[in-house]
Amino acid sequence: MTSHNEYVDILHKSGFKATAQRIEILSILSQSQTHPTAEEVYHEARKKFPTISAATVYKTIQTLKEAGRVQQLAFYGGKARFEANVEPHINLICLTCGRIQDLFDMRVNEFIKQFSGGSGFKVESQRIDFYGTCKQCREQAGFQ
Amino acid sequence: MTSHNEYVDILHKSGFKATAQRIEILSILSQSQTHPTAEEVYHEARKKFPTISAATVYKTIQTLKEAGRVQQLAFYGGKARFEANVEPHINLICLTCGRIQDLFDMRVNEFIKQFSGGSGFKVESQRIDFYGTCKQCREQAGFQ
DNA sequence: CTACATGCAAAGCATTTGCATAGCC
DNA sequence: GGCTATGCAAATGCTTTGCATGTAG
């Protein structure tokens, strides 16, 4: 259950003040499935806080990143994208429609475990992106 | 064998003119193990072509990316990094010393194959980053 | 009450673009 | 020789920073 109080706890445990703006940004990132850009978070947050500034969004995301609560994904195109899902997963990036979907699968954990330590490299976090064509786009194109 | 003529061929086959600057940039990216930034490529290229501009480096890298000859990796920190290794592999990124090493392993290909098609998503290219601590840094820290 | 967060504006940088000149094919 | 590439400078756009004001703890 994701609730207001849970966001407050997360912020406090990470040593930050639980301001209304931070709670809103954390909430947006936690509930989003679309790996939003900072600009998208900013526009969403403005619905509740019309005076919030982009600087606050950037500073808050920076804070959440340092606390390990948000992952930053830099893609082609310059804009950084963010997600609050820090569990191992695959980002499926459709080159046709641009959508990014998370894929959770036990085999991802096993795959990572295989390489952790074996080569002398200790894995602490990871990022796996698959670029290709999603199901919907393939169906629309007649599986060409 | 990577040679001058091979770089010329690559450029011609991709439909581009084989200028001395492009050959140099392709050579730098092909021989580098360090996933250089555009700025690093620029400084390296200036050794041979003191008048080369950053714009030419960016335009050439863009060209090589479109031809599938160079992969762009956007990391934390804003600067994009580039590599000419387009075969499936894992980027081992050491959070202590900042070095990025390529890890080639058959299990990577098998891992990708598992997910291609199964979920309806057709994988065309991929990027796998492992963040952690490399062997050297762990040894220096006494395996803490 | 005090230290930290917000929000505004301005600055910082990586990257892109426009255009005249130069060079490959 | 024609068409594409180079290189300079200026522009663009994302992100960061400085600072005065506001607010959580």
Side-chain angles (χ1 to χ4, degrees), chain A residues 35 71-75 83 85-93 100-115 123 125-131, chain B residues 71 73-76 89-91 93 107-108 111-115 121 123 125-131:
Chain A
H35 304 64
Q71 194 178 10
Q72 176 171 356
L73 302 174
F75 291 109
E83 70 168 328
N85 264 324
V86 289
E87 292 301 305
H89 65 273
I90 299 172
N91 298 302
L92 299 175
I93 300 141
I100 304 169
Q101 244 183 321
D102 285 344
L103 172 62
F104 292 91
D105 192 298
M106 279 310 294
R107 288 172 289 187
V108 177
N109 294 291
E110 287 162 19
F111 176 70
I112 295 160
K113 219 179 290 171
Q114 281 188 318
F115 291 100
V123 180
S125 66
Q126 70 294 313
R127 164 186 182 171
I128 303 175
D129 295 349
F130 283 179
Y131 296 89
Chain B
Q71 195 179 9
L73 302 174
F75 290 110
Y76 304 99
H89 65 272
I90 300 172
N91 299 301
I93 299 142
R107 288 173 289 187
V108 177
F111 177 71
I112 294 160
K113 219 179 289 171
Q114 281 188 320
F115 290 102
F121 191 95
V123 180
S125 65
Q126 71 294 313
R127 163 186 182 170
I128 304 175
D129 295 348
F130 283 179
Y131 295 89

Side-chain angles (χ1 to χ4, degrees), chain A residues 118-139:
Chain A
S119 54
F121 191 94
K122 173 124 197 301
V123 180
E124 275 161 30
S125 66
Q126 70 294 313
R127 164 186 182 171
I128 303 175
D129 295 349
F130 283 179
Y131 296 89
T133 320
C134 72
K135 197 177 178 179
Q136 295 95 309
C137 287
R138 289 179 72 204
E139 282 169 356

